[in-house]
Amino acid sequence: MCELKFYIKVYGCQMNQYDAGVIRRIMEESNFIEVSDVKEADIILVLTCSVRSHAEIRALGQLNFWRRLKYEKPGLIIGVLGCMAQNLKDLLIEKFNVDLVVGSDQYRFLPKLINEYYKTKLPQVATEFTMENYEHIIPKTNNASVVGYISIMRGCNNYCSYCIVPYVRGRERSKSLSQIVTEAESLIRHGVKEITLIGQNVLAWHDNNADFLTLLKEIDQLDGYYRLRFLTSHPKDLTVKHWETFSQLKKFCPYIHLPLQSGSNRILALMNRGYTKEEYLEKVMQGRQIIPDLVFTTDVMVGFPTETDDDYKETLDLLGKIKFDFAYMFKYSERPYTKAQKITPKVDAKIAQERLIRLIEYQNKITKERINSYLNKECEILVEFYTYPYSKGRTKDNKMVIIKDKLEIGEIYRCRITNIKGWTLIGEIIDKSNCNVQNKVYYIENLKEGL
Ligand code: 5AD
Ligand code: SF4
């Protein structure tokens, strides 16, 4: 069975983007060919997200549309993969005529399941949790990119009371230290200049006696110029020792995503988050003390069951104190299996919506304030794209900068922020010769060695 064409649509978080690369590799190794036009596809794969009901509704809408393509192309296979496959398997087969339902631990079996479908013409379902880590599968990315991701762990054991992740991605498990180092080396050899380690809670990563800090130190000492990022960090696991170690790493970028969720201790306890607002604030202050110019971003939720106006005001107050550079803001969405489903009274949908709107307005002002503080600052950018006549680069603290000049992708330049339009930083290069000479020497040596 060769030369079959597949199309993949990805919803959701960075973990899903990464998993899409794993799926592409698995499919490619079985001689399937990816196409970018859905009409050319023999197989449509939809990698889904279940974190909020809105994400599921969007994917179901898309499935409804694609289902109609089956009339024009009767042999067309539609597969739903990932979190929603785990959550809605019966509905998908019965109401949406889906042919493959493949959970997040079962991607290795996709070619086999497709084969089986062709043989039997019966829907194939594989949703067992197996503590799969996809070790030894280097994800295939579509474009040569200068930013790369490594999933260092999968699943989650935290059971925040609102969250479906532990139920649709399974128990927490860590990828081995040696495999992560191999992936990092491979990314660096392929020209990646920024590595982001990803996982639901990277601070919980471990491999025998090695903890997350050991892992960071190992990766930090690999040769070449590259930047090191990671997400997501759970506040309950963050200690002063983390800040101290981060500050000593050569490649650490002073940017951290630290989901807060709420500024009310009562709500944080109901959410099972494992910290108080005072503890959260103290961790932020320690970080800022040890790593000056550290940038924080966060996730915040409103409308969690029982949230009162006073709880909500505490969230706003804390945002005002901390001044995050950016916040992803959500309205609570009730999810199956979760403890919060049973917590009452629920917050009226209209009130939750109003809270969200006011929260967004409030945080947007802070975000703008933080962006404005970059005017006239000098920073080092890594160039990620060029589309005439603009180059786009990112600072170490994760701000996009636009430069009206043709710069080399993957190179580092020093620039000054000369203007700010909305939330966009506009810069000018200070020194046209890029700062990445050391890196070039490394590359030439690698080429000589035939790497
Ligand atoms: N409702 C709303 N937001 C949620 N998140 C996770 N579960 C839910 C839910 N049930 C948000 C959290 C988390 C981010 C990834 O998504 O803020 O940090
Ligand atoms: Fe969900 Fe909490 Fe785990 Fe994050 S830490 S994935 S919010 S259960």
Side-chain angles (χ1 to χ4, degrees):
M1 194 167 51
C2 60
E3 304 290 288
L4 282 171
K5 299 189 182 101
F6 75 99
Y7 171 89
I8 183 163
K9 167 87 185 164
V10 188
Y11 290 95
C13 64
Q14 208 55 62
M15 291 296 286
N16 262 11
Q17 299 296 338
Y18 182 91
D19 282 3
V22 170
I23 291 163
R24 286 189 172 102
R25 179 70 69 209
I26 291 167
M27 294 294 280
E28 183 193 80
E29 283 179 358
S30 291
N31 297 326
F32 292 94
I33 296 167
E34 184 174 1
V35 288
S36 54
D37 181 357
V38 71
K39 295 210 181 86
E40 283 178 38
D42 304 297
I43 303 154
I44 299 177
L45 300 177
V46 193
L47 187 51
T48 55
C49 169
S50 288
V51 117
R52 282 169 293 277
S53 63
H54 179 66
E56 287 188 338
I57 291 164
R58 268 176 56 213
L60 290 175
Q62 184 66 69
L63 278 175
N64 232 346
F65 177 73
W66 280 334
R67 205 158 58 136
R68 284 183 234 144
L69 295 179
K70 283 193 171 191
Y71 297 115
E72 292 161 32
K73 204 174 191 178
L76 180 69
I77 293 185
I78 299 184
V80 174
L81 319 183
C83 299
M84 215 169 102
Q86 214 80 46
N87 184 27
L88 296 177
K89 49 189 159 209
D90 298 336
L91 177 88
L92 289 168
I93 292 174
E94 284 156 23
K95 296 258 156 50
F96 288 83
N97 293 350
V98 164
D99 309 299
L100 304 171
V101 176
V102 185
S104 52
D105 280 5
Q106 298 286 332
Y107 303 145
R108 276 181 200 272
F109 303 107
L110 255 175
K112 195 172 142 245
L113 293 163
I114 292 170
N115 210 351
E116 209 46 41
Y117 176 83
Y118 277 122
K119 273 204 257 164
T120 61
K121 295 286 179 290
L122 292 172
Q124 300 296 311
V125 180
T127 52
E128 200 189 333
F129 288 123
T130 58
M131 298 297 264
E132 173 64 85
N133 242 336
Y134 300 106
E135 297 243 353
H136 311 300
I137 298 182
I138 305 257
K140 180 174 186 274
T141 47
N142 249 350
N143 308 313
S145 173
V146 296
V147 296
Y149 296 86
I150 305 177
S151 154
I152 62 166
M153 62 195 306
R154 299 178 72 83
C156 185
N157 286 351
N158 287 318
Y159 293 97
C160 300
S161 65
Y162 50 80
C163 185
I164 196 173
V165 167
Y167 308 94
V168 290
R169 296 189 78 94
R171 296 291 76 72
E172 176 194 295
R173 71 223 87 140
S174 297
K175 198 181 261 178
S176 70
L177 178 64
S178 61
Q179 177 63 21
I180 297 169
V181 171
T182 304
E183 282 190 39
E185 286 170 337
S186 164
L187 289 176
I188 296 167
R189 267 203 310 279
H190 287 91
V192 163
K193 301 289 169 53
E194 187 177 291
I195 297 176
T196 304
L197 308 178
I198 56 172
Q200 245 75 43
N201 174 17
V202 290
L203 303 186
W205 179 90
H206 60 96
D207 179 9
N208 293 314
N209 292 330
D211 63 7
F212 182 60
L213 295 179
T214 322
L215 171 69
L216 284 183
K217 284 189 249 174
E218 286 271 331
I219 298 181
D220 191 58
Q221 51 81 38
L222 300 177
D223 280 340
Y225 177 96
Y226 56 93
R227 295 170 168 185
L228 186 53
R229 302 188 190 281
F230 47 84
L231 70 140
T232 295
S233 308
H234 196 306
K236 77 176 166 55
D237 294 324
L238 190 66
T239 65
V240 175
K241 196 167 156 223
H242 285 94
W243 294 129
E244 283 166 357
T245 307
F246 298 163
S247 74
Q248 285 155 15
L249 299 171
K250 295 190 291 287
K251 285 144 184 168
F252 171 76
C253 294
Y255 162 84
I256 186 149
H257 183 67
L258 197 65
L260 166 67
Q261 312 302 0
S262 168
S264 151
N265 285 341
R266 194 182 65 79
I267 296 291
L268 285 170
L270 281 177
M271 286 177 165
N272 191 30
R273 289 292 289 173
Y275 54 86
T276 61
K277 70 171 177 183
E278 290 80 11
E279 283 162 350
Y280 185 99
L281 186 59
E282 197 187 340
K283 287 173 199 234
V284 168
M285 289 190 323
Q286 282 166 345
R288 284 184 170 153
Q289 202 181 5
I290 296 169
I291 306 171
D293 298 327
L294 183 62
V295 160
F296 284 91
T297 59
T298 199
D299 294 343
V300 192
M301 195 189 301
V302 295
F304 185 84
T306 79
E307 185 188 65
T308 62
D309 255 339
D310 285 344
D311 294 317
Y312 171 65
K313 279 189 195 115
E314 284 189 70
T315 301
L316 293 184
D317 278 354
L318 199 56
L319 293 188
K321 264 196 199 125
I322 294 176
K323 295 195 187 295
F324 292 102
D325 276 53
F326 185 78
Y328 297 89
M329 294 169 273
F330 310 106
K331 192 166 55 172
Y332 168 75
S333 160
E334 186 170 296
R335 303 283 58 214
Y337 318 113
T338 60
K339 286 228 171 85
Q341 245 189 327
K342 300 203 176 75
I343 303 177
T344 51
K346 305 290 181 214
V347 173
D348 178 81
K350 208 167 141 245
I351 293 177
Q353 182 64 22
E354 280 166 13
R355 285 182 188 162
L356 180 64
I357 290 169
R358 274 198 289 142
L359 174 78
I360 292 172
E361 280 169 6
Y362 187 70
Q363 175 57 41
N364 282 357
K365 279 193 199 130
I366 298 172
T367 300
K368 182 71 178 128
E369 216 179 277
R370 296 288 305 137
I371 285 173
N372 286 347
S373 75
Y374 279 71
L375 193 62
N376 296 322
K377 252 196 191 172
E378 278 186 23
C379 40
E380 195 182 283
I381 58 160
L382 166 65
V383 179
E384 290 180 19
F385 310 100
Y386 172 72
T387 30
Y388 175 82
Y390 299 105
S391 300
K392 280 188 186 172
R394 209 172 274 278
T395 62
K396 278 192 166 178
D397 56 15
N398 215 20
K399 292 275 183 313
M400 186 60 86
V401 180
I402 293 186
I403 312 262
K404 196 169 179 188
D405 203 341
K406 187 171 193 312
L407 303 174
E408 261 183 82
I409 293 173
E411 298 296 341
I412 307 284
Y413 296 84
R414 279 207 74 72
C415 73
R416 178 176 296 111
I417 305 302
T418 51
N419 199 354
I420 293 169
K421 288 199 175 143
W423 286 11
T424 310
L425 301 179
I426 318 283
E428 275 173 15
I429 297 300
I430 298 173
D431 181 0
K432 187 85 205 213
S433 64
N434 64 61
C435 323
N436 211 2
V437 179
Q438 204 191 350
N439 200 28
K440 279 203 169 134
V441 173
Y442 168 77
Y443 254 98
I444 291 164
E445 276 169 9
N446 271 348
L447 285 175
K448 275 196 230 145
E449 285 169 28
L451 285 170

